[in-house]
Amino acid sequence: MLDADFCQVELAEGVDNLFIEIYMTSENHTARVIIEQSHTNLTYVERDGEVLHEHHSEVKAKSETCDMSFQSIYDFAQTGDISGAIPCLEQQITYNTAISAEGMGNNYGSNIGQLLLLDESNPSLELLCKARAAAGSDARMSGCPLPVVICSGSGNQGLTVSMPIITAAEQLGKSQEELYRALAFGNLLTLYIKSGIGKLSAYCGVVSAGVAGVAAVAFLKGDSQQIIEDTVSNGLANTSGIVCDGAKPSCAGKIAIAIDSGFMSYKQARLRKSYEKGDGIVCNSVDETIKSIGVIAREGMKQTDVVILNEMLKH
């Protein structure tokens, strides 16, 4: 359709990140539709000049921050009643494992998951975590119709946070209860980090999901709270700045990089080589570092988003 000059795409100026305005014409009719602030928030519908629907949502006024903290997430995952979340977590295990296996066994995108295991007869746990998460993205980004259980509104983030935890639980022989609690921890931590970044940003979402997934592996293994906190801070310091240029095959590569950085950050924490306050964007606490990342993503990368979109529209 693009080759046939079926449509034209332009970047809207002076609007929120999540904004889509569509003009359509046929031989006898015209239509105009606007979606903004939320993926399903239809705010304007017009046909042949007649306004059929107009609604200005209050979504814009809501804060992007949340009431969670690292401590509240950690405590809940350790001892809280997670029974209500188990059906969703079980679905995440089933669906995300299935699409990961599909990507690992078939030809999708750049086959990053398969490439990572090339010539590896006895892959390490770290390598398996990277490969299985990337393989799920390989399939998802290249048309596989299998479902994925998301996190932070993103299938790639759902795969990035869950597959390292699922893989580690299998390899280490952890119980179902331990797996559920680690998944609860990882998913909530991803949501917490992403809440300050916003729904759409030039900041790549798998960075937060990757470090959260590895932090949850540390949680699963029974490491101390301090090691887990340091893993998060180290990981955000290491890979924040990877840009989002849309959903496409190279997301799988970014997933592998994010998880790899997470494991390096975990090793730093275990060996007491973590970054200290004042080392770049590292703050006094993990919560402050997460808050700082949100500011950088929302404010510092706002113009980056515009530049990326304009470059993408050139081709």
Side-chain angles (χ1 to χ4, degrees):
M1 289 192 293
L2 287 171
D3 291 341
D5 198 26
F6 178 83
C7 62
Q8 293 180 320
V9 182
E10 298 175 0
L11 182 62
E13 301 288 349
V15 295
D16 287 342
N17 272 11
L18 209 166
F19 180 90
I20 304 169
E21 185 170 15
I22 302 169
Y23 294 91
M24 298 183 68
T25 62
S26 67
E27 186 175 339
N28 300 313
H29 300 283
T30 63
R32 179 184 172 211
V33 174
I34 298 175
I35 296 172
E36 54 186 326
Q37 301 162 15
S38 176
H39 292 86
T40 56
N41 188 36
L42 193 66
T43 59
Y44 187 87
V45 179
E46 175 190 300
R47 184 176 63 203
D48 296 334
E50 178 187 359
V51 178
L52 304 180
H53 172 79
E54 188 170 13
H55 173 65
H56 297 289
S57 171
E58 297 300 320
V59 174
K60 186 177 181 180
K62 290 183 179 179
S63 171
E64 292 286 358
T65 60
C66 69
D67 293 331
M68 290 189 288
S69 66
F70 182 92
Q71 189 67 54
S72 68
I73 293 169
Y74 180 83
D75 290 344
F76 174 73
Q78 283 274 37
T79 59
D81 179 8
I82 64 167
S83 58
I86 287 177
C88 183
L89 296 175
E90 189 60 48
Q91 193 174 54
Q92 188 176 50
I93 295 166
T94 302
Y95 285 5
N96 294 7
T97 300
I99 196 170
S100 172
E102 174 71 14
M104 197 66 76
N106 296 284
N107 186 29
Y108 289 102
S110 296
N111 291 120
I112 300 298
Q114 294 181 31
L115 290 175
L116 287 167
L117 296 182
L118 198 63
D119 300 325
E120 292 285 343
S121 58
N122 186 29
S124 66
L125 173 61
E126 295 178 21
L127 192 54
L128 280 174
C129 289
K130 290 187 289 184
R132 293 183 75 189
S137 181
D138 285 326
R140 182 169 177 81
M141 293 294 96
S142 294
C144 176
L146 290 176
V148 169
V149 172
I150 67 174
C151 187
S152 298
S154 162
N156 277 329
Q157 289 179 61
L159 288 163
T160 303
V161 68
S162 65
M163 289 313 301
I165 304 168
I166 295 166
T167 302
E170 291 173 356
Q171 295 292 308
L172 300 173
K174 296 296 183 178
S175 70
Q176 205 69 11
E177 171 78 8
E178 290 173 308
L179 171 57
Y180 289 149
R181 290 194 175 275
L183 282 171
F185 178 76
N187 279 287
L188 286 171
L189 185 57
T190 302
L191 287 164
Y192 176 42
I193 298 170
K194 190 66 166 59
S195 66
I197 294 168
K199 292 179 181 176
L200 290 178
S201 171
Y203 185 103
C204 177
V206 302
V207 170
S208 50
V211 69
V214 176
V217 170
F219 179 92
L220 181 70
K221 293 171 71 174
D223 283 296
S224 70
Q225 182 176 340
Q226 188 61 58
I227 286 177
I228 300 169
E229 288 185 17
D230 286 350
T231 297
V232 175
S233 291
N234 293 336
L236 293 176
N238 282 330
T239 47
S240 291
I242 295 178
V243 298
C244 173
D245 51 346
K248 72 283 164 211
S250 65
C251 289
K254 295 179 182 182
I255 286 172
I257 290 168
I259 294 173
D260 185 73
S261 170
F263 276 111
M264 184 182 78
S265 303
Y266 176 38
K267 289 176 183 175
Q268 286 180 260
R270 286 190 292 118
L271 295 174
R272 299 182 181 180
K273 297 294 182 180
S274 294
Y275 302 123
E276 298 179 357
K277 170 199 168 185
D279 287 343
I281 58 175
V282 178
C283 302
N284 281 314
S285 68
V286 65
D287 291 293
E288 290 181 22
T289 300
I290 288 171
K291 183 178 179 181
S292 179
I293 290 299
V295 174
I296 292 168
R298 288 193 318 274
E299 305 301 328
M301 300 184 77
K302 190 177 294 183
Q303 186 58 32
T304 304
D305 193 51
V306 174
V307 172
I308 291 170
L309 289 168
N310 277 317
E311 288 301 308
M312 290 170 65
L313 288 175
K314 290 179 181 179
H315 49 273

